[in-house]
Amino acid sequence: MSSNKLVVRKVAVLGAGVMGAQIAAHLANAKVPTVLFDLPAKEGPKNAIVEKALAALKKQKPAPLASKTAIQYIQAANYDDDLALLSECDLVIEAVAERLDIKENLYSKVAPHLGAKTIFATNTSGLSIETLASVFSKELKDRFCGVHFFNPPRYMHLVELIACQETDASVLDNLERFLVSTLGKGVVRAKDTPNFVANRIGVFSMLATMANAEKYDLRFDVVDDLTGARLGRPKSATFRTADVVGLDTFAHVAKTMQDNLQADPWHAHFGLPTWLTGLIEKGALGAKTKAGIFKKEGKRIFVLDAKAGDYVASNEKADKAVTELLKAPTWGEKLAALRASEHPQAQFLWACMRDVFHYIAVHAKDIAHNARDIDFAIRWGFGWDMGPFEIWQAAGWKQVAEWINADIAAGKTLSNAALPAWVVDGRDGVHSDAGSLNFTTLHAEGRSDLDVYQRQYAPAKLFGESAKVLGETVFKTEAIHAFTLDNEVLIVENTNKNRAISRDVLEGINQALDVAEERFKALVIWAPDAPFSVGADLKSMMPVFAAGDMNAIEAMVKLFQDTSMRLRYSQIPTVSAVQGYAFGGGCEFILHSNKVVAALESYIGLVEVGVGLIPAGGGSKEFALKAARASQGDLLAALKDRYMNLAMAQVATSALEAKELGYLNEDAVVVFNTYELLYVALSEARALADSGWRPEIPQSFAVAGRTGAASIKGQLVNMKAGGFISEYDMYLGSQIADVMTGGDVDAGTVVDEQWILDLERKVFVSLLQQEKTLERIENMMSTGKPLRN
């Protein structure tokens, strides 16, 4: 086959079940035309099965579709009438039931209809790729492989790519390029072994946790409190994760291991506990059936008591003595304290960690090419902050290996398998600047040299790799790092926690704009990871609030507004590169940038009402300006649409939705892989500069005036009467209405931007003198949640 780059014009997904439909949805998010197939319905329209799946996509939470309009990229089809469409597809992804007979029957049906260069991939979660490939001709085997998405496909970063013996190398490279850049995925090339990498290790970890929970007689709610966020893992921890995945799905993956790994030294632990098979037999399959290991009745949550075989109130937490041990600053201290403690919960945690270390060491060579693939698979597929090899290395490689060997000798481990020689050959870990350990050569293996990864200036980092110094520092302050990669574009990073915007940040951005106007073509505001910014740094402002120094507060707000306006009207183009949360002031920076490049998973909004304030860094002004530009003769209607975003603190749940809500302009570039964000932002900044970009002049526009404000306030009265908003919400909403309509002026009055900015600032300062605003701020500071008083 040719090694030419694959252009994916159209994709077919076979199977409209949960995974198939959601894979189709994510392809549609990326504007890839997709044909979604399933069996012809026995009654009614032949595409009824697929149509039902498409309707479900619109209702599911978290939303598989990043935009309401994305679904138009999906075409419903059935195997009776539409197989000819397969010849038009560059990629076909099979996502039918995990049974060899069903898959093989489907393959023989579709194979004659595939295009001459169509790549055919299976989304199997653990069946043998080689076995599945056996039904194809040699010519089709060249284009066949596994492409295992994790659920939910929009949000989970991992995709495992698995070749059969005859898969053409260029097919894998082309597919990897598409998965990484177009769909935004982290690709791990897995070996063709049962359950591949992530499920093999992740499900073993869950099975080991269940076995140790029984050994140490711990309740399931206590286990979840111990094995979630406290270990740097998702809040769903162990048993809730099983419920979310579906107990039947979890059982299927475990059975794949039980059936196909007979010689595995841990095989005795692959069978499901009796209580779990009992739940499945009763149809209590977890979240999808509203009952599993946990169940909710009204507001009360219950958890299964395995001994009693019935549900009890889920109200027990981990012992404080053990949670204190988990607060130790390093993994070495944590594991040493857990292992030394006689507390059953501490012993349980050490056993869970040790058993995973033991398992991956023994099986590493069988299941993965190198240590990096194992750690990224677990981080990206199971949501751990650090992979298991990273934790082992961070805790002290030699010490942990000694502890494992001591426990094997004492008969404490789930298996007596010996650690392989490479573990104890004097090494200090498996990750270094030279690369990650290759389990076959026992040498460090560098990262992939595939061209698509050249776009990732700050790729995912592993423990053991030195912190990479990106570019050349131009200047540094307490809160700002300004640097350049090319001496053409100045890149600015806010280094505050959660990129909160303080006076130091505002002064640093102004300094950066001064430097950029003098020495550079353009300026990019970028964060190496999420969030982009949670907004104003309320903590740093609290002393000023407490002192009641209104002049100082007003000066701070004025500095914020002036900084926003400089981003808009500077002599060089400004670009914001956004990912994660962009709230309040972070959103206002975006609104004033000349161009925005946003990761798909960007959650953008003006949420100031949650702390009893209004957007005053130019956000209220921007939405008044956007309404005037979009009004087409009915300014009030255009204003009301945009007003509700601010009054209800509406947050866009994707970059695509942010365009619909007006937080991003239509020309904003949406990037699916966050690791490519800086590359694309720099490209956009250079393009603007190289095209002779010049700033607009500050704008004047018509406002709706006091009559427009009165109309909006009437709507607020109705919302208050209906119980949708509180009395103080209504007051805040009235203040926003006054600002966005231009204050006490006639409808149609033309004002300039500074007029609205002055109104914003005046209202903001007045609200800080309101007791209920201070209550909201204090509640946010102490709980992290908005108070609706």
Side-chain angles (χ1 to χ4, degrees):
M1 281 189 67
S2 164
S3 61
N4 291 340
K5 182 181 173 186
L6 170 73
V7 178
V8 178
R9 298 173 183 83
K10 196 173 192 177
V11 174
V13 177
L14 310 181
V18 172
M19 279 304 286
Q22 292 207 35
I23 291 168
H26 193 57
L27 288 160
N29 290 335
K31 297 184 178 178
V32 178
T34 302
V35 188
L36 180 59
F37 280 85
D38 212 301
L39 296 166
K42 292 176 181 174
E43 296 178 3
K46 274 195 164 181
N47 287 335
I49 293 172
V50 176
E51 294 292 354
K52 184 179 178 183
L54 295 178
L57 288 176
K58 298 175 186 177
K59 300 173 188 172
Q60 287 167 8
K61 299 290 180 188
L65 296 165
S67 159
K68 292 190 287 277
T69 60
I71 204 155
Q72 68 193 19
Y73 286 88
I74 305 177
Q75 176 184 352
N78 67 80
Y79 301 124
D80 275 5
D81 302 337
D82 303 310
L83 289 177
L85 293 173
L86 294 174
S87 65
E88 303 169 9
C89 297
D90 302 293
L91 170 64
V92 175
I93 300 172
E94 169 269 303
V96 299
E98 287 286 271
R99 274 178 42 188
L100 275 172
D101 57 335
I102 292 175
K103 290 182 187 289
E104 289 175 350
N105 181 51
L106 179 64
Y107 294 1
S108 59
K109 183 185 287 188
V110 302
H113 301 275
L114 299 175
K117 294 184 179 179
T118 302
I119 295 174
F120 191 91
T122 173
N123 182 57
T124 179
S125 59
L127 297 179
S128 165
I129 303 301
E130 203 62 50
T131 303
L132 289 170
S134 64
V135 302
F136 290 127
S137 65
K138 163 74 172 71
E139 190 270 336
L140 249 173
K141 283 182 183 177
D142 288 353
R143 295 181 270 134
F144 180 72
C145 63
V147 56
H148 179 213
F149 289 82
F150 276 66
N151 191 22
R154 171 183 161 187
Y155 300 96
M156 297 305 289
H157 191 57
L158 178 65
V159 172
E160 291 174 318
L161 199 55
I162 314 101
C164 66
Q165 288 182 18
E166 295 177 71
T167 308
D168 189 297
S170 69
V171 165
L172 292 176
D173 287 350
N174 279 324
L175 196 47
E176 186 162 354
R177 290 184 180 101
F178 173 71
L179 291 165
V180 169
S181 234
T182 304
L183 299 188
K185 296 304 171 190
V187 172
V188 165
R189 294 206 183 185
K191 291 188 175 183
D192 186 17
T193 57
N195 291 341
F196 312 128
V197 180
N199 275 343
R200 175 79 175 268
I201 298 166
V203 170
F204 170 79
S205 173
M206 294 172 72
L207 289 167
T209 301
M210 291 176 182
N212 284 310
E214 184 177 354
K215 178 180 177 181
Y216 291 98
D217 195 23
L218 300 184
R219 282 172 47 131
F220 298 160
D221 48 0
V222 172
V223 168
D224 272 9
D225 191 36
L226 285 166
T227 59
R230 298 184 195 280
L231 292 186
R233 300 180 190 177
K235 287 190 291 186
S236 56
T238 302
F239 292 107
R240 282 185 196 277
T241 293
D243 271 351
V244 170
V245 167
L247 300 186
D248 52 341
T249 303
F250 176 76
H252 169 79
V253 178
K255 191 169 190 315
T256 301
M257 293 168 72
Q258 190 177 30
D259 291 349
N260 297 290
L261 296 168
Q262 301 280 342
D264 191 304
W266 283 264
H267 185 266
H269 301 283
F270 296 163
L272 297 179
T274 309
W275 59 261
L276 185 51
T277 55
L279 286 174
I280 294 169
E281 285 165 8
K282 285 188 227 169
L285 305 179
K288 60 189 171 187
T289 59
K290 305 200 183 309
I293 299 169
F294 291 89
K295 73 172 180 177
K296 194 172 182 182
E297 292 181 2
K299 293 187 176 179
R300 297 186 67 198
I301 297 172
F302 295 86
V303 63
L304 183 73
D305 180 329
K307 285 183 183 171
D310 204 354
Y311 290 95
V312 296
S314 176
N315 54 14
E316 290 200 13
K317 299 283 186 186
D319 193 307
K320 192 175 179 186
V322 177
T323 61
E324 286 299 313
L325 299 180
L326 292 172
K327 292 178 182 176
T330 68
W331 271 108
E333 291 168 89
K334 284 178 192 175
L335 294 187
L338 292 171
R339 188 169 188 271
S341 171
E342 294 183 3
H343 196 295
Q345 293 179 17
Q347 287 292 299
F348 158 78
L349 280 175
W350 159 247
C352 291
M353 303 294 288
R354 172 204 65 211
D355 290 338
V356 171
F357 297 154
H358 188 190
Y359 191 79
I360 59 174
V362 170
H363 288 300
K365 186 177 178 181
D366 301 332
I367 65 177
H369 299 288
N370 58 58
R372 177 173 49 249
D373 288 345
I374 285 178
D375 280 337
F376 280 156
I378 296 300
R379 276 167 52 172
W380 295 343
F382 278 77
W384 293 19
D385 288 349
M386 292 175 74
F389 275 135
E390 288 183 283
I391 294 171
W392 183 346
Q393 184 167 335
W397 186 270
K398 291 173 183 172
Q399 176 64 79
V400 172
E402 286 175 15
W403 287 339
I404 296 169
N405 269 330
D407 281 8
I408 294 170
K412 293 181 179 180
T413 51
L414 295 180
S415 160
N416 61 4
L419 287 176
W422 65 263
V423 172
V424 289
D425 65 359
R427 73 180 58 255
D428 293 314
V430 290
H431 304 300
S432 68
D433 290 337
S436 296
L437 183 70
N438 178 298
F439 301 120
T440 301
T441 67
L442 297 183
H443 294 130
E445 181 181 318
R447 303 244 178 164
S448 168
D449 58 4
L450 199 64
D451 52 5
V452 72
Y453 294 110
Q454 303 311 305
R455 298 161 59 93
Q456 299 187 6
Y457 292 147
K461 186 175 165 289
L462 290 156
F463 183 90
E465 296 175 337
S466 304
K468 185 179 178 184
V469 178
L470 204 57
E472 177 190 343
T473 296
V474 176
F475 73 86
K476 248 184 177 178
T477 70
E478 286 292 313
I480 290 290
H481 178 212
F483 63 98
T484 184
L485 298 180
D486 57 7
N487 289 314
E488 290 190 337
V489 181
L490 184 65
I491 303 162
V492 179
E493 179 193 346
N494 173 355
T495 56
N496 274 349
K497 184 179 179 181
N498 292 324
R499 328 267 179 228
I501 300 167
S502 59
R503 174 177 285 277
D504 286 344
V505 170
L506 296 171
E507 290 173 348
I509 288 175
N510 278 285
Q511 183 181 344
L513 286 163
D514 290 339
V515 171
E517 286 182 337
E518 184 181 333
R519 292 173 46 193
F520 294 91
K521 284 183 175 183
L523 179 143
V524 168
I525 300 176
W526 171 73
D529 46 34
F532 176 74
S533 173
V534 294
D537 185 358
L538 294 175
K539 189 174 181 181
S540 73
M541 297 177 189
M542 283 305 285
V544 184
F545 295 164
D549 187 346
M550 293 303 137
N551 289 333
I553 291 168
E554 183 163 5
M556 176 77 171
V557 179
K558 179 76 164 61
L559 175 61
F560 207 128
Q561 293 177 337
D562 290 347
T563 305
S564 293
M565 293 293 276
R566 276 202 76 188
L567 286 171
R568 168 70 52 78
Y569 297 115
S570 169
Q571 293 305 304
I572 42 96
T574 60
V575 177
S576 281
V578 184
Q579 61 172 309
Y581 297 137
F583 293 157
C587 178
E588 286 167 317
F589 281 174
I590 293 167
L591 286 165
H592 287 84
S593 298
N594 303 127
K595 192 73 179 268
V596 178
V597 176
L600 178 71
E601 301 308 332
S602 296
Y603 311 106
I604 305 172
L606 293 167
V607 297
E608 283 83 351
V609 295
V611 287
L613 296 168
I614 73 163
S620 303
K621 177 266 300 178
E622 273 302 289
F623 271 76
L625 175 57
K626 284 173 178 283
R629 286 176 169 171
S631 62
Q632 296 183 327
D634 191 346
L635 176 56
L636 187 57
L639 190 68
K640 281 183 175 179
D641 285 347
R642 288 155 180 80
Y643 163 84
M644 292 306 292
N645 290 343
L646 279 60
M648 301 303 290
Q650 190 161 0
V651 174
T653 57
S654 72
L656 298 177
E657 190 180 31
K659 289 189 179 189
E660 295 167 8
L661 295 176
Y663 293 125
L664 294 180
N665 292 334
E666 269 306 309
D667 69 350
V669 177
V670 178
V671 175
F672 275 57
N673 197 314
T674 55
Y675 297 112
E676 296 184 357
L677 200 56
L678 183 56
Y679 173 87
V680 178
L682 290 172
S683 300
E684 292 292 328
R686 290 189 203 102
L688 286 173
D690 292 346
S691 65
W693 181 91
R694 297 284 297 170
E696 296 177 327
I697 58 169
Q699 302 293 293
S700 296
F701 53 97
V703 292
R706 64 181 79 85
T707 56
S711 176
I712 292 172
K713 289 174 185 177
Q715 192 174 339
L716 290 173
V717 170
N718 293 335
M719 292 175 71
K720 168 70 172 61
F724 297 106
I725 58 175
S726 71
E727 188 172 343
Y728 200 56
D729 288 330
M730 186 169 79
Y731 177 72
L732 292 167
S734 299
Q735 297 293 301
I736 295 171
D738 285 337
V739 171
M740 289 183 69
T741 56
D744 190 15
V745 297
D746 294 334
T749 299
V750 174
V751 301
D752 61 14
E753 292 180 78
Q754 192 59 51
W755 176 269
I756 306 291
L757 289 171
D758 291 344
L759 287 173
E760 277 186 0
R761 193 169 66 254
K762 180 181 175 184
V763 169
F764 186 93
V765 173
S766 72
L767 288 172
L768 277 171
Q769 298 171 65
Q770 300 287 329
E771 188 177 331
K772 289 197 172 182
T773 286
L774 295 176
E775 286 174 4
R776 289 192 177 199
I777 292 173
E778 286 165 8
N779 190 76
M780 180 63 76
M781 297 287 292
S782 60
T783 69
K785 296 176 181 177
L787 172 69
R788 279 286 157 72
N789 53 354

